[in-house]
Every structure is written in C-alpha cells, then in structure tokens.
Amino acid sequence: MSSADSPDSWAATAGRRPEWTLGVVNPPVFRASTIVHDSVAAMDAAGRNIDGQLYYGRKGTPTTWALREALTGLEPGAAGTMLFPSGVAALAAAILAVVRPGDHFLLPDSAYEPTASLAFGWLREFGVTPEAYDPLIGGGITALIRPETRLILLESPGSITFEVQDVPAITAAARARGVPTLLDNSWAASILFKGIPAGCDMVMQSLTKYVGGHSDALMGSVSATPALWPMLQRTAWALGQCVSGDEAALVLRGFRTLPVRMARHGDSALRIARFLDGHPKVARVLHPALPGSPGHSLWQRDFTGSSGLFGFELRTMRSAQGEALFCDPMRHFRLGFSWGGYESLIIPARAIRRLPQAEPAPLRFRVSIGLESVEDLIADLSDALDRV
Ligand SMILES: *Cc1c(COP(=O)(O)O)cnc(C)c1O
C-alpha cells in the first residue's frame, strides 16, 4: 500500500510486513518471554538493535511491532509508537518522559480525571507543579508559560464537557517557548484529527476505546516526533511497559475496521445529538459538530468528522434520583465506564473542575453511541426523557 491509497485501504493491511507475517493475513500471535539465540555473537547483535528485532519478550514481537507500525501510520510525521497496558499507563509514561522534579506542567481543566489525579496527586508528591488552564485559552496559553514549564497537555475535545481546543495555536505558542506538547487524542482516534501534523510532539490515545472497539482489551499508545521519540522509548523501557501478543492481536483486529466503525459511530451519534438538541427537556448538547458546543468552529476548521461520544444537559439540577430515574430502566444504553465499543453506554457525567465554574452543575449525561439501530437508541432516550 502506498500513501496515495485511501485510509480505508491502508487500514486493511497496515503493519503487515511479509517478514513479520510470512503472508498470513492476521499477524500471528507471538507469546514470548524468552527468545533463544544461536550464539553469543547473535545475542549481542540483537541486543544492539533491540527495537524491531527479537531479543527478549518485553521488547516486543512481530505482533506488537505490526500494531505499533499501524498506529505510527495514523500520525504522519511520527517517528514511532510505544504500547502500554492502558491509556492511563500511556499518559503517565509520556508525562514522565519529559517532566522532572521542579518542573511546571500545564493541563486543561477538562482533562480526563485520572490524568488530573496523576498530576495533582502523585506528580505533585515528586515536586512537579501542575496547573489547570481553561481548555478554550488558545494562543493565550503563552501568558501561563514559565521558564520552568516543561510540558503542556492538550485533550480535545475535553472529557465530560467536550471543549474543542485550538491545538495549532497552543502548539505554536509552546514551540515558540521550547515547551513540548502532549495530546490526548482518544476521541478522534487519530483518524478524525491528526495531532503530530498540528504541531504536537507526542500524541497518546486510549486504544481501549475506538481502536480496540470491542470492550475486551485495555491498551494505550503514544506516538512521538523524531525529537521526542528517544525519550519516550527510553522511558517506556525503563518503566518496564509492554503488552501481550494476545492483546496486541485483539487491538490490531479492531484497527482493521476502525474507519468503517468510526463512520457509523459518527453518523449515528450526530443524528441522536440532533434529536436531543430539539427536545424541550434538553438544555444543551455538548457535541463538537453542533453549533453552540464549546469550540465548535475549531472542530469545523480542524476535524474531518466526529466520533460517537458526546454529552447533554437537562433543564433540571443534578440529583442522584434524577440520574437513576433516567438511566436505570434503559434498554439499549447500559451503565458502564469506557466508550468506543459497539454497544451503547451511558453515565451520569459528574465533572470535577479545578477552575471556578459559572453555574451549578445541571443533570448531565455522557453517551457513547454504539452500532445499534439509531431508531432504537432514540426511542430509549425519548422514554428516559419522559421519565424525568
Ligand atoms: C479512557 C480514557 C483514557 C484512559 O484509557 P484507559 O485505557 O481506560 O486507561 C485516557 N484519556 C481519555 C480521554 C479517556 O477517555
């Protein structure tokens, strides 16, 4: 496949090198800890080039290399991709690749809660100073950059409140001051938005979500520019991060159908978002493709589509009773964390924010639209709205 092929054609075979697969369509599952070498010389030679050559199981096998190569192809300009046992592990390693005691670390106030907990809890204990910024700050981030700022995290759109960020403006401001940037690109799965071409130095995604796509595997990845790649790889290896061949094969299977699933997730979600937007009990729909959603014009400028994850707010204040009344009897939407799988999910969305908020929290939900019939999903939501 050449770069002139359409993304769908490329996704069908990405990472399938003949020397790794011997012609087998699905890269075989290598289960490996020990790899035996024919001689001391061969063992030493393998050790000198331990990436992409069988050496020891933790350094990977053709199954994990195939997945890594496919993921690198999603981010033009990336030098490589490392795999981690979860999205959170990927975020932690990417942060630790650059942040050191005494450094200042900027992250959006809409960051995924475990990311914020890592920054404001654990990293602070190691002498790092985290600071939350308004996700819609854009080029204004310059005013927050200090001499000791060592990393700016972006997440677009943000968790729970779905603010689309001005990624090119923030990365340009960061580059002007020599500060590396890390984008959590899980929502767009590096197909609706490409972070490296937008100026990011590292792009992570939770493969647990859209790339895996079947709610049966946890994994995360970080892709990096040539400048950041050695630091990222060194950190991942130093921390002993690796994934099994079995799980890499599951995620690679998801990868093959990522573009077609994403198109369906996006289309269904948009139709459902429009239904909610027109409903009298709904105060606001937080879907980047709808006008009125925070950062909508940036989504229009920078994204090629939308995924299946969005939020909505009712004209009612938040209460545990309202959440239960809405969610418990639902038939198609099941209560569960994570997203990006083929089954629709709902959670009461309780955003934790560090910056002061203008208004008290309304009754707010987050839905992950699966591959079921849109009519069934709308009927389920319509019944739920009738109940509250
Ligand atoms: C789920 C999620 C993660 C973490 O991924 P896991 O694979 O569950 O560890 C990171 N970022 C965002 C935005 C997420 O939604």
Side-chain angles (χ1 to χ4, degrees):
M1 289 285 144
S2 78
S3 56
D5 289 317
S6 85
D8 292 10
S9 305
W10 172 78
T13 60
R16 207 170 78 197
R17 287 200 208 176
E19 68 267 34
W20 291 343
T21 65
L22 307 173
V24 178
V25 166
N26 292 300
V29 178
F30 282 81
R31 296 198 179 107
S33 56
T34 297
I35 285 125
V36 291
H37 303 271
D38 285 340
S39 65
V40 172
M43 200 170 186
D44 290 346
R48 279 192 289 275
N49 175 22
I50 47 183
D51 199 14
Q53 195 166 333
L54 285 172
Y55 179 65
Y56 179 59
R58 205 185 326 107
K59 299 284 161 62
T61 66
T63 321
T64 54
W65 301 334
L67 177 59
R68 285 172 54 193
E69 185 163 285
L71 291 164
T72 301
L74 288 179
E75 286 285 349
T81 300
M82 292 304 280
L83 299 174
F84 300 87
S86 70
V88 168
L91 275 161
I95 294 167
L96 292 176
V98 293
V99 168
R100 294 290 176 271
D103 287 347
H104 175 236
F105 167 33
L106 285 163
L107 66 161
D109 203 26
S110 51
Y112 180 58
E113 181 48 31
T115 312
S117 298
L118 174 70
F120 290 95
W122 200 84
L123 278 172
R124 194 138 52 185
E125 291 170 27
F126 282 78
V128 173
T129 306
E131 180 181 351
Y133 67 86
D134 174 357
L136 298 172
I137 198 167
I141 193 89
T142 300
L144 299 182
I145 297 176
R146 307 178 190 169
E148 69 275 20
T149 304
R150 190 62 192 125
L151 180 66
I152 301 175
L153 178 88
L154 301 93
E155 185 184 320
S156 179
S159 280
I160 306 295
T161 38
F162 294 92
E163 297 89 346
V164 178
Q165 297 198 262
D166 194 339
V167 176
I170 294 174
T171 58
R175 286 230 165 139
R177 301 284 294 272
V179 180
T181 50
L182 163 65
L183 170 69
D184 182 335
N185 206 16
S186 302
W187 188 87
S190 287
I191 66 170
L192 307 171
F193 179 79
K194 311 262 181 209
I196 301 278
C200 300
D201 297 292
M202 291 185 285
V203 177
M204 73 71 59
Q205 65 164 312
S206 166
L207 304 171
T208 311
K209 311 292 167 52
Y210 283 114
V211 179
H214 294 73
S215 309
D216 52 7
L218 282 152
M219 203 179 290
S221 64
V222 185
S223 305
T225 55
L228 271 287
W229 173 243
M231 290 293 282
L232 172 69
Q233 187 165 58
R234 177 175 161 243
T235 307
W237 281 344
L239 297 176
Q241 296 290 34
C242 59
V243 305
S244 75
D246 294 270
E247 294 211 301
L250 279 179
V251 174
L252 201 48
R253 168 173 290 211
F255 191 95
R256 303 297 174 213
T257 57
L258 175 62
V260 67
R261 281 185 292 109
M262 191 62 111
R264 166 76 178 229
H265 285 299
D267 186 57
S268 297
L270 196 52
R271 285 168 63 193
I272 293 166
R274 291 203 175 109
F275 158 77
L276 289 167
D277 206 28
H279 196 285
K281 285 190 182 168
V282 175
R284 198 157 71 120
V285 179
L286 301 166
H287 186 301
L290 291 193
S293 195
H296 166 70
S297 60
L298 296 168
W299 174 83
Q300 268 186 319
R301 188 190 70 187
D302 294 343
F303 284 66
T304 57
S306 47
S307 66
L309 187 79
F310 68 94
F312 57 96
E313 297 172 351
L314 303 192
R315 296 191 190 283
T316 321
M317 281 301 101
R318 188 185 98 69
S319 74
Q321 196 201 7
E323 291 174 351
L325 207 54
F326 195 94
C327 299
D328 289 359
M330 292 189 96
R331 295 175 50 240
H332 297 286
F333 286 91
R334 307 305 307 276
L335 278 162
F337 292 110
S338 199
W339 43 271
Y342 57 88
E343 261 192 289
S344 292
L345 297 174
I346 187 164
I347 54 163
R350 302 160 190 162
I352 299 167
R353 294 292 176 257
R354 284 159 175 96
L355 301 177
Q357 301 299 302
E359 299 144 22
L363 191 52
R364 186 193 275 148
F365 300 94
R366 187 192 74 185
V367 284
S368 172
I369 303 302
L371 303 178
E372 305 93 332
S373 129
V374 171
E375 288 67 35
D376 288 344
L377 297 177
I378 287 182
D380 211 8
L381 285 166
S382 177
D383 290 347
L385 286 162
D386 287 346
R387 285 193 293 271
V388 293

